[in-house]
Amino acid sequence: MIDFDFSIPTKVLFGAGKMDALMREKLPGKLALLVISSGSVVKERGYLARMENILKHQNIDYFIYDKVSSNPKKNEIMEAAQFARDNFCDFVIGLGGSSVVDSAKAIAFMARNPGDLWDYFVTGSGKGLPPKNPALPIVAIMTTAGTGSETDQWMVVTDDKIGEMIAFGVPSTFPTLSVMDIDLMMSVPPYLTAIQGFDAFFHAAEGFIAKIATPISEAFSLQILRLVNKYLPRAVANGNDAEARSNIALASMLSGMVQSTSSCTSLHAMDHGLTSNHLDLPHAAGLLMLSKSYFEFFSKYVPDRFIKMAHIIGGVTANLPEEEKPMEFVNQMVRLQKECGVDNLKMSDYGIKFEDMEQMARNAHQTMSNLFAMDRYSLSLKETVTIFEKAYK
Amino acid sequence: MIDFDFSIPTKVLFGAGKMDALMREKLPGKLALLVISSGSVVKERGYLARMENILKHQNIDYFIYDKVSSNPKKNEIMEAAQFARDNFCDFVIGLGGSSVVDSAKAIAFMARNPGDLWDYFVTGSGKGLPPKNPALPIVAIMTTAGTGSETDQWMVVTDDKIGEMIAFGVPSTFPTLSVMDIDLMMSVPPYLTAIQGFDAFFHAAEGFIAKIATPISEAFSLQILRLVNKYLPRAVANGNDAEARSNIALASMLSGMVQSTSSCTSLHAMDHGLTSNHLDLPHAAGLLMLSKSYFEFFSKYVPDRFIKMAHIIGGVTANLPEEEKPMEFVNQMVRLQKECGVDNLKMSDYGIKFEDMEQMARNAHQTMSNLFAMDRYSLSLKETVTIFEKAYK
């Protein structure tokens, strides 16, 4: 029987040029910590200057924290949270991609909670303590599309000292306000556009086969698959295709909503195992490397849902033998990866060795056991290793 | 290009028995105005006693307002709002169907705003003044499924002195918390189940053909059409079919989300024209009476969207001539109405005369012009009269 709680308390301003709406929008505080990447893109492209202009126009004071590296690190979070606390910041703005926005969430959370971030994490070596306080309000202004961080409560943070990359979220780490302005996304290069678009695709597919899927998350999932299938090849081929960019941004926003109403499955856990010790390997690239082997394995266990997804992305199963129908989803997914030029990413290109596979599978189970619990078929460690090994190139 | 603001700030607790979760859920105040219908159902079935028990358990004081008639009336709203203000209520609970929950929203709004409700309404003879204050927080506990009042900001209120039935909403009139507990809905009789289920159906279809539809509202719309088509005949045939009830409750919840992300069209405006002077005629019955004539008319103007909707509810258009394809949606809708026993509702049964049609069309344009503005084809008064006349039985 259908049973769920639904809550997506984020207001989203969506559209080309929507960043300017922040001139008039009520912001949730008077003294912001503005978090940006340590890279130069938001400065060079003028996004930072525009944001500062908006804050001045709104009479909001701010500090800038510009040390976020790709893949948020615990030590950066703790430092920035301390700074926010010491300076009485009353909200946090993330201006950037998902690393920046995830960092903003983690900083907002730790700015109002004592101790260590890992005290509150509920998997890996996290202590699972109940948070003392809700996070500071969070504003997310996205410059990339795919992770859905704009409409979910999740942050992914790595402690590289202990090799754990863990996802965490509480109701107060939903952004209060998110901006999806495709004008800020037009210059994302083709490869990043492709892998981030596939992040949305995997959120949709995992959310659809997760055992806590509901008819609401399913509606989101199917719409994402439809949009990514139709528009991602176009957005990759021509970064100036505003209609394609717009629809991929929408798929991203919906993919956060899938994660708010359903869950990722063990594919995301396995990706954490893969990337936690290879922080140069982007999250979504890791998902792509594992995807064929992963979905092939699960096609046997969730056949009806695979067939539905296959139909949405252009698969025709009417004339196939019953046992081959679910694999049509995998075939179509690989076809789409080819069209986007991301069907042949290799772990070996990142110095990863075949003999690392078992350790990665172990790490996935140890740090993200909660996602394995979302699968409709319970993967053993041995089966997980097999999926890793089949994915290895 | 895609451009919209998204905000559905309501938390929904969904599932059989979920009312009990209110024992533990944080409620948004300490002194409630508990709004119920003037009818006896919530008392006789013990829902009121359960709610009082929950409030006592949560140490929340409350007053009961039990004078809401079907179709919320302005004078009742104003009286209850004055009472809430005089007694320092800090939130409002609606326990009942959509009339009760719409009343709760209007009371919560007027409890914090001076003057008359019509001072703030933006259509009809409303003065369109900006609200001074946000509404008191609202908790909605639904005992019927279909209107979507649980997940939107809209209230429909009638001033019977001036014959205006107007829809209004502001961001603060979204419920803070809604409960969709099908255990409270199992005893809704077949006829009401059918017409309320069709309310969700029309929200979906209108939201899908409205010119502000977005891919998010479209995902909701298509899921609703799918669910109503599959489950409404079952819920009507057997009120104890919990799976069917559950899915119709879900369609209702999604239909509020369509209204939060897209809009109704002129069908709802025309229904206000029809029912504002016949308050014994339920809103959804009026929609049903007008629906065939209305969608027939619009099938010519939005053919692609009609064909998509037709496919979702079982229509097959592959072998039809191009010009007949859109009408397949209307044919399937009528087939579904037949299956639910609501294909032959007659205005004449409510004492409505053929010669009233023009006045009703005028009333629709005068009081709900904002919904006519949502149509993809702009209806003249004459065309509106024609739709009314063709619908008359």
Side-chain angles (χ1 to χ4, degrees):
Chain A
M1 202 54 62
I2 311 171
D3 192 297
F4 60 88
D5 293 353
F6 171 92
S7 178
I8 303 179
T10 304
K11 179 171 183 179
V12 184
L13 309 178
F14 188 105
K18 267 294 167 81
M19 190 177 176
D20 292 338
L22 292 177
M23 286 283 193
R24 300 172 299 279
E25 191 73 21
K26 187 174 165 23
L27 297 178
K30 296 306 286 172
L31 177 54
L33 184 69
L34 172 53
V35 179
I36 61 173
S37 158
S38 58
S40 53
V41 171
V42 298
K43 289 176 187 162
E44 280 168 11
R45 299 203 178 274
Y47 307 156
L48 177 61
R50 280 176 69 188
M51 191 67 226
E52 294 189 75
N53 200 25
I54 288 166
L55 293 173
K56 282 170 192 153
H57 177 83
Q58 290 249 26
N59 288 319
I60 289 172
D61 287 326
Y62 60 93
F63 298 96
I64 294 174
Y65 181 81
D66 63 356
K67 296 185 201 161
V68 174
S69 47
S70 68
N71 285 311
K73 314 273 184 317
K74 191 185 87 170
N75 59 331
E76 296 162 9
I77 304 300
M78 296 303 297
E79 175 188 278
Q82 185 65 47
F83 180 88
R85 210 180 305 128
D86 292 346
N87 289 282
F88 304 101
C89 294
D90 58 5
F91 74 117
V92 180
I93 302 171
L95 168 64
S98 63
S99 291
V100 168
V101 171
D102 282 16
S103 294
K105 292 176 178 177
I107 293 164
F109 178 76
M110 285 313 293
R112 295 213 58 218
N113 282 286
D116 187 274
L117 185 53
W118 253 247
D119 290 347
Y120 305 99
F121 281 11
V122 290
T123 55
S125 64
K127 290 187 190 155
L129 297 181
K132 299 265 186 208
N133 297 303
L136 292 176
I138 298 150
V139 176
I141 300 150
M142 306 302 298
T143 59
T144 61
T147 68
S149 208
E150 61 273 16
T151 46
D152 69 39
Q153 73 274 51
W154 304 109
M155 60 188 85
V156 175
V157 182
T158 300
D159 183 343
D160 40 10
K161 289 207 192 75
I162 57 174
E164 287 188 348
M165 174 184 283
I166 290 185
F168 175 72
V170 290
S172 62
T173 52
F174 273 99
T176 305
L177 179 67
S178 288
V179 178
M180 293 296 277
D181 179 348
I182 59 154
D183 287 353
L184 310 183
M185 302 171 185
M186 299 301 279
S187 58
V188 177
Y191 172 70
L192 284 179
T193 301
I195 65 171
Q196 288 161 356
F198 264 99
D199 199 5
F201 182 97
F202 295 131
H203 290 155
E206 292 174 59
F208 196 72
I209 65 173
K211 68 182 181 195
I212 62 163
T214 69
I216 290 185
S217 69
E218 286 165 13
F220 295 144
S221 282
L222 296 180
Q223 187 72 310
I224 294 164
L225 295 178
R226 206 176 277 124
L227 293 172
V228 174
N229 184 54
K230 184 168 176 186
Y231 292 105
L232 190 59
R234 280 174 51 181
V236 173
N238 173 14
N240 292 319
D241 183 337
E243 187 190 8
R245 290 277 192 199
S246 217
N247 280 285
I248 295 305
L250 186 68
S252 173
M253 171 179 168
L254 288 168
S255 94
M257 292 160 72
V258 168
Q259 291 168 95
S260 307
T261 54
S262 178
S263 172
C264 290
T265 61
S266 54
L267 175 58
H268 261 70
M270 292 168 70
D271 178 64
H272 286 214
L274 177 56
T275 55
S276 58
N277 284 299
H278 295 274
L279 294 179
D280 54 329
L281 171 59
H283 164 65
L287 294 170
L288 276 157
M289 289 169 179
L290 292 162
S291 60
K292 179 161 181 283
S293 159
Y294 180 84
F295 285 110
E296 254 179 31
F297 184 93
F298 269 94
S299 67
K300 295 187 292 290
Y301 296 103
V302 203
D304 293 355
R305 286 172 183 261
F306 272 68
I307 295 168
K308 267 192 197 159
M309 293 196 292
H311 293 165
I312 292 286
I313 59 170
V316 177
T317 59
N319 299 320
L320 292 177
E322 210 54 44
E323 68 278 12
E324 290 179 21
K325 288 180 178 179
M327 265 301 287
E328 180 61 10
F329 169 69
V330 182
N331 299 336
Q332 291 295 332
M333 178 186 77
V334 171
R335 184 261 317 149
L336 183 61
Q337 292 177 359
K338 280 200 180 111
E339 287 178 21
C340 299
V342 288
D343 58 311
N344 201 22
L345 307 184
K346 293 190 181 73
M347 295 188 212
S348 53
D349 286 346
Y350 290 83
I352 298 167
K353 300 203 177 61
F354 184 79
E355 47 275 31
D356 300 339
M357 298 296 104
E358 187 181 331
Q359 175 48 31
M360 288 179 173
R362 280 186 195 282
N363 181 300
H365 277 274
Q366 278 158 9
T367 58
M368 295 299 290
S369 56
N370 51 339
L371 293 189
F372 284 92
M374 294 295 157
D375 291 333
R376 282 171 198 263
Y377 170 83
S378 183
L379 278 182
S380 69
L381 176 61
K382 195 174 163 203
E383 287 164 330
T384 312
V385 174
T386 305
I387 291 171
F388 265 103
E389 291 182 346
K390 280 190 77 170
Y392 187 82
K393 291 188 222 181
Chain B
M1 202 54 62
I2 311 170
D3 191 299
F4 60 87
D5 293 354
F6 171 93
S7 177
I8 303 178
T10 305
K11 179 172 182 179
V12 184
L13 309 178
F14 188 106
K18 267 294 166 84
M19 189 177 178
D20 292 337
L22 292 177
M23 285 283 192
R24 299 172 299 279
E25 191 72 21
K26 186 172 162 31
L27 297 177
K30 296 306 288 174
L31 178 54
L33 183 69
L34 172 53
V35 179
I36 61 173
S37 158
S38 58
S40 53
V41 172
V42 297
K43 289 177 188 163
E44 280 169 12
R45 298 204 178 276
Y47 306 157
L48 176 62
R50 279 176 70 187
M51 192 66 225
E52 294 189 73
N53 200 26
I54 288 166
L55 292 173
K56 282 170 193 152
H57 177 83
Q58 290 248 27
N59 288 319
I60 289 172
D61 287 326
Y62 60 94
F63 298 97
I64 294 175
Y65 181 81
D66 63 356
K67 296 184 200 161
V68 174
S69 47
S70 68
N71 285 310
K73 313 275 185 317
K74 190 184 87 170
N75 59 332
E76 295 163 9
I77 304 300
M78 296 303 297
E79 175 188 277
Q82 184 66 47
F83 180 87
R85 209 180 305 129
D86 291 346
N87 289 281
F88 304 99
C89 293
D90 59 5
F91 74 116
V92 180
I93 302 171
L95 169 64
S98 62
S99 291
V100 167
V101 171
D102 281 17
S103 294
K105 291 175 179 178
I107 293 164
F109 178 77
M110 286 312 294
R112 296 213 57 220
N113 282 285
D116 188 274
L117 185 53
W118 252 247
D119 291 346
Y120 305 100
F121 280 12
V122 291
T123 55
S125 64
K127 291 186 189 154
L129 298 181
K132 299 266 186 206
N133 297 302
L136 292 175
I138 298 151
V139 176
I141 301 149
M142 306 303 297
T143 59
T144 62
T147 69
S149 208
E150 60 273 16
T151 45
D152 68 40
Q153 74 273 51
W154 303 109
M155 58 188 86
V156 175
V157 183
T158 300
D159 183 343
D160 40 10
K161 288 205 193 75
I162 56 173
E164 286 189 350
M165 175 184 283
I166 290 185
F168 175 72
V170 291
S172 62
T173 52
F174 273 98
T176 305
L177 180 67
S178 288
V179 178
M180 293 296 278
D181 180 347
I182 59 155
D183 287 353
L184 309 183
M185 302 170 186
M186 300 300 278
S187 58
V188 177
Y191 172 70
L192 284 179
T193 301
I195 65 170
Q196 288 160 358
F198 265 99
D199 199 5
F201 182 97
F202 295 131
H203 290 157
E206 292 174 59
F208 197 71
I209 64 173
K211 67 183 182 195
I212 64 163
T214 68
I216 291 185
S217 69
E218 286 164 14
F220 295 143
S221 281
L222 296 180
Q223 187 72 311
I224 294 164
L225 295 178
R226 205 176 279 124
L227 294 172
V228 174
N229 184 54
K230 184 167 176 187
Y231 292 104
L232 190 59
R234 280 174 51 180
V236 173
N238 174 13
N240 292 320
D241 182 337
E243 187 191 6
R245 290 277 192 200
S246 217
N247 279 284
I248 295 304
L250 185 68
S252 174
M253 171 180 169
L254 288 169
S255 93
M257 293 161 73
V258 167
Q259 291 168 93
S260 307
T261 54
S262 179
S263 172
C264 290
T265 60
S266 53
L267 174 58
H268 262 70
M270 293 168 70
D271 179 64
H272 286 213
L274 176 57
T275 55
S276 58
N277 284 299
H278 296 274
L279 294 179
D280 54 329
L281 171 59
H283 164 66
L287 293 171
L288 277 157
M289 290 170 178
L290 292 163
S291 60
K292 180 162 180 283
S293 159
Y294 180 84
F295 285 109
E296 254 178 32
F297 184 92
F298 270 93
S299 67
K300 294 187 292 292
Y301 296 102
V302 204
D304 292 354
R305 285 172 182 262
F306 272 68
I307 295 168
K308 267 193 197 159
M309 293 195 294
H311 294 165
I312 291 286
I313 60 171
V316 177
T317 59
N319 299 321
L320 293 177
E322 209 54 44
E323 68 277 13
E324 290 179 22
K325 288 180 178 178
M327 266 300 288
E328 180 61 10
F329 169 68
V330 183
N331 299 335
Q332 291 296 332
M333 178 186 78
V334 172
R335 183 262 315 151
L336 183 61
Q337 292 177 0
K338 279 200 180 113
E339 287 177 22
C340 298
V342 288
D343 59 310
N344 200 23
L345 307 184
K346 294 188 180 74
M347 295 189 212
S348 53
D349 286 346
Y350 289 85
I352 298 167
K353 300 200 177 64
F354 184 79
E355 49 275 30
D356 300 339
M357 296 297 104
E358 187 181 331
Q359 174 48 33
M360 287 178 174
R362 280 185 196 282
N363 181 298
H365 277 275
Q366 279 158 10
T367 58
M368 295 299 292
S369 55
N370 51 340
L371 293 189
F372 284 92
M374 294 296 157
D375 291 334
R376 283 172 197 262
Y377 170 84
S378 184
L379 277 182
S380 69
L381 176 61
K382 194 174 163 205
E383 287 164 331
T384 312
V385 174
T386 306
I387 292 172
F388 265 104
E389 290 184 346
K390 279 189 78 171
Y392 187 82
K393 291 187 219 181

